[in-house]
Amino acid sequence: MRPYLAYIAVTLKLAWRDKMVIFFNYLFPLIFFFIFAQLGKAEQGGSINSVFSSVLVIGVLGNGFFGGGIRAVVDREQNILRRFKVAPISPAPILVSAVVVGMVNYLPSALLTFLIAHFHYGMPIPERWISALLFIAIGTMAFRAMGQIIASVANSMAESQIIIQSLYFPMLMLSGAAVPLSFLPDWVQIITQFIPASYLFNGMQNILVRHESLADNLDSVIALVITTGLCIFISMRLFRWEKGEKLKPAAKLSILAMLLPFLFVGAYQVYSKDNILKAKSVAREIQRSRSLLIRDARIFARNGKVIDSASVLVRQGKIAEIYIGTAPDADELRAEPVDASGKTLLPGLIDPFVMLSSTGGAELPSPRRVARELAAYIFSGVVAVGSSGDSPELLSPEIRSIQRGETLGADIYFSGPVFAAQGNSSSSVYTPGTPEEARKMVQSLKQAGASMIRSTLDNGTTENAATRLDVSILRAIADECDKQNLKLVVSTASVQNISDALDAGAHGILFGSPTSKIPDNIFERMKAQSVTLIPSLTTLEAQSSDLALLERSLVEQIGPPELLSATRQLFRKPATPADLTIAMENLQRAHRRGVELVTGSGSGNKLVLHGPGIHRELYLWVKAGIPAAVALEAATSKAAKFLGGQDQLGLIAPGRDASLLLVNGNPLQEITATEAISLVVVKGERINRSDIFDKTKF
């Protein structure tokens, strides 16, 4: 041990006298840090973690390849190593000390970079700072050991430069440090899984942005540790004391040996795609951590209150402040300014009644259809949906992907298959034969993650009434929902069915009674029992088969051309005029009677495509005589409460998720202004609507 400690001490002293050490360990990374920070507008908070990770990778690569690889070649060419040849010492202390000294020299550089990032750019102290420190140390030693292999096989300074440049720049460009992985084609992202620097960068991103621990990045840690030991071992076998000693050309293949751990780990990653998905998640987290100042907007705030001129500050994905009147300067707040003059800022819309297993038009085969539908909601300013009649197996992958930030889509609250009478052959329904069987089905849906349950006494519309569900079974469903803290929504098409649903203990009524007047006493019961009405006028209107519903601008923007074309062919029979008179009158009277109202488009039903449906529902509500402010509340705060997301969604208030919709004009005066979308923000991420469908082809 004494030779190791002695050589480490001597090497440390010599290193601090070397200007190259100071440059590659301190000045070189700091130059890149300030360049990247300025280009990424790090003062706005969004990219500082990424900048810090990039600079660490650049510093570690420089320390390992240029510092370690070239330094050892210089020592051999200047006959410095020759002096140790006659001493009773093996190459091991020299190689180990080079690795340890490289790590010890670089850690202060990493700390200095962090201090600048923290105090100048506001980078938060890492939650897993011990994991971050250990990971930097492990990564530095691994690349320093790689540098020793380069030094072992290079016969001259010129040759070492060629080898280093051949490794350094591909690792820099393909690791994510210089170019975000999400910008690269899919096939290039696969190649990066075999590059050592990718694991260094991904590990740092995961620890800093996703707040993961060292154990969460065990594959990267193991690969880097094995690489360190393997490289030191090979370097000992190839070690040369004098510049006159030559190696066989085949010895240069030893460089490939240092990539072996990453060959195996990369093969696994190509199969699992864990790192690729994590990289997408990290990129989304970085976007959501940026600061925005939406200035001088008309704001639709709490309880339908309208603030004529105010600004909203968004930080770390949340609404941080609301400034009424003149807001502070965006530069002072270190936020990206968004001019919203003459525009209205709304909470992101919520559609509590959709069916994702159906397109709303022609059923075309597509493995990514649900993902595209969820992206269409974001495009339309809808940040959450209540799924009805969709199996948990269909939705679970999408829910996980959206929650992790791997894909962009509306949040999903689901009810699972609809409870219906036996004899219904649809795959999207449960048909319990007894109350006890119904209870077990409710319990299974709760375990699967359902946030509500939907049942039907009939088919919920005026056509093709299905066999009626036994009321005793409905009571069992309602009772079990109460025990499981789930809401029960019952589809009805008649006054009698509404009455039976209220008797059973339903929490929501879907459709109501579209073709007959609902008596006042029914509305009084609904109010007294806090039962919500979801009229879904959009679904009822579309029963007319009027293809003009597909010609709205927002529908044509989100609808894939092949879907719109096939749908027009499918429903080309003559349209029957839609008569919503009774349904609209029922809605207006429910409002006057104080019944809780929530919008719900029924997207997925005939001619109601996913995304724009809630905008049509708002239009029909206002046409029915509902004040625009009431309709907007029903599509934001009331809908959030109904789905159980009221703690985060539905309001523009400090502490809430910054999921916002900025529209041109004033929807309180002209409700169709909700479709004139200027900006969508999802949990602090400013959405680029022009390329939202690029990764989710139909």
Side-chain angles (χ1 to χ4, degrees), residues 249-312:
K252 291 182 174 59
L253 295 176
S254 300
I255 292 178
L256 300 178
M258 70 185 187
L259 302 177
L260 284 177
F262 302 99
L263 179 63
F264 293 106
V265 177
Y268 170 74
Q269 287 298 333
V270 169
Y271 165 75
S272 69
K273 294 184 171 59
D274 285 348
N275 279 350
I276 293 176
L277 294 176
K278 276 188 175 183
K280 293 179 179 179
S281 176
V282 167
R284 176 134 291 117
E285 287 296 324
I286 290 171
Q287 289 297 318
R288 291 178 175 177
S289 64
R290 296 194 68 171
S291 297
L292 300 174
L293 180 65
I294 304 174
R295 301 186 303 188
D296 305 324
R298 180 186 303 103
I299 295 179
F300 184 76
R302 191 185 298 270
N303 298 324
K305 178 183 177 183
V306 177
I307 305 173
D308 289 331
S309 180
S311 301
V312 174

Side-chain angles (χ1 to χ4, degrees), residues 505-534:
H507 306 95
I509 299 295
L510 180 62
F511 299 117
S513 180
T515 58
S516 60
K517 179 180 177 181
I518 300 175
D520 290 343
N521 70 302
I522 294 291
F523 289 137
E524 290 167 1
R525 290 182 62 192
M526 291 179 69
K527 181 180 179 182
Q529 295 176 217
S530 299
V531 174
T532 301
L533 175 63
I534 310 170

Side-chain angles (χ1 to χ4, degrees), residues 612-663:
I614 198 67
H615 296 273
R616 184 65 177 180
E617 186 74 8
L618 288 169
Y619 166 78
L620 292 174
W621 276 41
V622 173
K623 185 178 179 181
I626 303 300
V630 173
L632 289 170
E633 267 196 284
T636 53
S637 59
K638 296 290 180 65
K641 180 181 178 182
F642 184 77
L643 292 179
Q646 66 270 22
D647 291 339
Q648 301 299 330
L649 299 172
L651 288 178
I652 299 177
R656 297 297 180 103
D657 281 353
S659 294
L660 307 166
L661 171 62
L662 183 66
V663 300

Side-chain angles (χ1 to χ4, degrees), residues 376-426:
Y377 281 108
I378 296 297
F379 184 91
S380 305
V382 181
V383 298
V385 297
S387 160
S388 177
D390 302 316
S391 70
E393 293 75 20
L394 173 70
L395 301 181
S396 292
E398 302 301 338
I399 291 173
R400 287 194 299 269
S401 182
I402 291 169
Q403 288 177 341
R404 294 171 181 171
E406 296 162 2
T407 58
L408 181 64
D411 289 339
I412 304 173
Y413 298 79
F414 72 91
S415 63
V418 177
F419 285 77
Q422 288 191 322
N424 193 316
S425 60
S426 172

Side-chain angles (χ1 to χ4, degrees), residues 199-349:
Y199 292 87
L200 181 65
F201 181 75
N202 289 341
M204 285 309 308
Q205 290 273 60
N206 292 335
I207 292 171
L208 293 175
V209 179
R210 292 169 57 92
H211 312 300
E212 293 183 350
S213 66
L214 209 61
D216 294 325
N217 294 274
L218 203 56
D219 56 343
S220 297
V221 171
I222 291 174
L224 291 169
V225 169
I226 292 176
T227 297
T228 302
L230 183 64
C231 288
I232 291 177
F233 175 76
I234 295 174
S235 296
M236 289 175 60
R237 301 292 299 270
L238 300 177
F239 193 84
R240 289 174 291 160
W241 299 97
E242 301 182 46
K243 63 181 180 180
E245 299 178 51
K246 299 293 183 182
L247 286 176
K248 295 180 180 179
K252 291 182 174 59
L253 295 176
S254 300
I255 292 178
L256 300 178
M258 70 185 187
L259 302 177
L260 284 177
F262 302 99
L263 179 63
F264 293 106
V265 177
Y268 170 74
Q269 287 298 333
V270 169
Y271 165 75
S272 69
K273 294 184 171 59
D274 285 348
N275 279 350
I276 293 176
L277 294 176
K278 276 188 175 183
K280 293 179 179 179
S281 176
V282 167
R284 176 134 291 117
E285 287 296 324
I286 290 171
Q287 289 297 318
R288 291 178 175 177
S289 64
R290 296 194 68 171
S291 297
L292 300 174
L293 180 65
I294 304 174
R295 301 186 303 188
D296 305 324
R298 180 186 303 103
I299 295 179
F300 184 76
R302 191 185 298 270
N303 298 324
K305 178 183 177 183
V306 177
I307 305 173
D308 289 331
S309 180
S311 301
V312 174
L313 176 64
V314 174
R315 286 197 195 282
Q316 298 297 319
K318 300 287 185 180
I319 296 172
E321 293 286 347
I322 299 176
Y323 302 99
I324 298 176
T326 304
D329 185 80
D331 290 338
E332 293 178 8
L333 296 173
R334 293 188 170 186
E336 176 185 356
V338 177
D339 184 16
S341 301
K343 302 177 183 180
T344 303
L345 186 66
L346 305 163
L349 301 180

